[in-house]
Amino acid sequence: MTLVVGLTGGIGSGKSAAAEAFAEHGASVVDTDAIARELTEKEGGAITEIERIFGKDFIRDGAMDRKKMRDHVFADPAAKRALESLLHPMIREESARRIATAGGPYVIHVVPLLIESPDYRSRVDRVLVVDCPEETQLARVRARSGLSEEEVRAIMRSQVSRAERLAAADDVIDNRGSRDALRKQVAALHKKYLQFARP
């Protein structure tokens, strides 16, 4: 069995940067957000059903209109549940397929809502939390997304608290500093995971 490390963290914590650094060390990365994007882009596996459930207004140039859908599901809990009940089983199935065929010494399974999802928790051997102060999260997300402070805080409120994530962690990357500091921590964890991964 391949060692599967579940990588999680709040929005703007640096999950993608950490996953990229692990990939540079040869780890297989299976990212649920990337799979979700693939399913909802042009000719993606979920597009026909999204159009059937939500209507043509939510499709633009053959792909899901992300901003429109995000605004819609934030305002309407029933719409959020409908989208999740469509996408989540497809994402889980594709994640499992990619983990089963991964060629690296271990798998970094990037799941933003890992702590909130018992199903994903049961699929990973260790939980790795990428952590930084909430003000850092806020600044990073605003810089890259153009969302307002209130929009970012609303997303942060919809996720489990920083304390809950840290309480569930087997390993923590402190990502309040530079990209170089992040890479050093990833290098140390890579060595540790290689030891765990050895049969």
Side-chain angles (χ1 to χ4, degrees):
M1 283 294 290
T2 307
L3 175 74
V4 180
V5 178
L7 186 155
T8 194
I11 186 169
S13 58
K15 296 180 295 296
S16 297
E20 280 168 28
F22 277 108
E24 285 165 12
H25 285 283
S28 296
V29 174
V30 177
D31 185 337
T32 56
D33 271 359
I35 293 169
R37 280 193 296 276
E38 289 168 25
L39 289 168
T40 55
E41 65 192 14
K42 192 171 183 180
E43 296 176 5
I47 290 300
T48 304
E49 279 299 289
I50 289 169
E51 188 172 331
R52 185 184 69 75
I53 295 166
F54 295 96
K56 284 187 167 57
D57 287 351
F58 286 89
I59 307 295
R60 199 171 78 194
D61 301 326
M64 183 179 80
D65 185 330
R66 285 181 209 291
K67 177 166 186 349
K68 188 164 191 167
M69 185 64 81
R70 185 174 60 232
D71 292 346
H72 182 53
V73 299
F74 246 84
D76 182 350
K80 184 172 190 274
R81 284 193 297 274
L83 184 65
E84 288 174 348
S85 63
L86 167 65
L87 288 179
H88 286 187
M90 297 172 89
I91 295 166
R92 279 196 289 269
E93 189 179 319
E94 183 59 21
S95 296
R97 192 188 68 72
R98 292 185 189 188
I99 288 168
T101 58
Y106 59 91
V107 173
I108 294 291
H109 192 14
V110 186
V111 186
L113 301 180
L114 179 71
I115 310 304
E116 295 90 327
S117 169
D119 179 64
Y120 280 110
R121 283 292 293 281
S122 69
R123 292 168 175 232
V124 303
D125 301 302
R126 295 184 73 77
V127 174
L128 168 59
V129 170
V130 183
D131 180 61
C132 67
E134 290 182 356
E135 292 310 309
T136 307
Q137 287 178 256
L138 183 65
R140 284 178 183 158
V141 177
R142 291 201 65 193
R144 76 180 187 211
S145 69
L147 294 173
S148 71
E149 179 173 341
E150 189 40 52
E151 284 173 310
V152 179
R153 288 199 185 278
I155 293 167
M156 288 165 66
R157 281 194 299 272
S158 74
Q159 301 179 337
V160 296
S161 71
R162 184 181 178 196
E164 285 173 273
R165 261 194 301 271
L166 289 170
D170 296 300
D171 304 297
V172 177
I173 288 175
D174 179 346
N175 192 29
R176 73 184 71 206
S178 66
R179 184 67 72 101
D180 203 43
L182 170 79
R183 285 204 175 98
K184 284 188 176 125
Q185 292 174 80
V186 166
L189 285 167
H190 170 67
K191 285 183 185 160
K192 181 175 171 178
Y193 294 155
L194 283 179
Q195 290 181 323
F196 284 136
R198 287 202 180 102

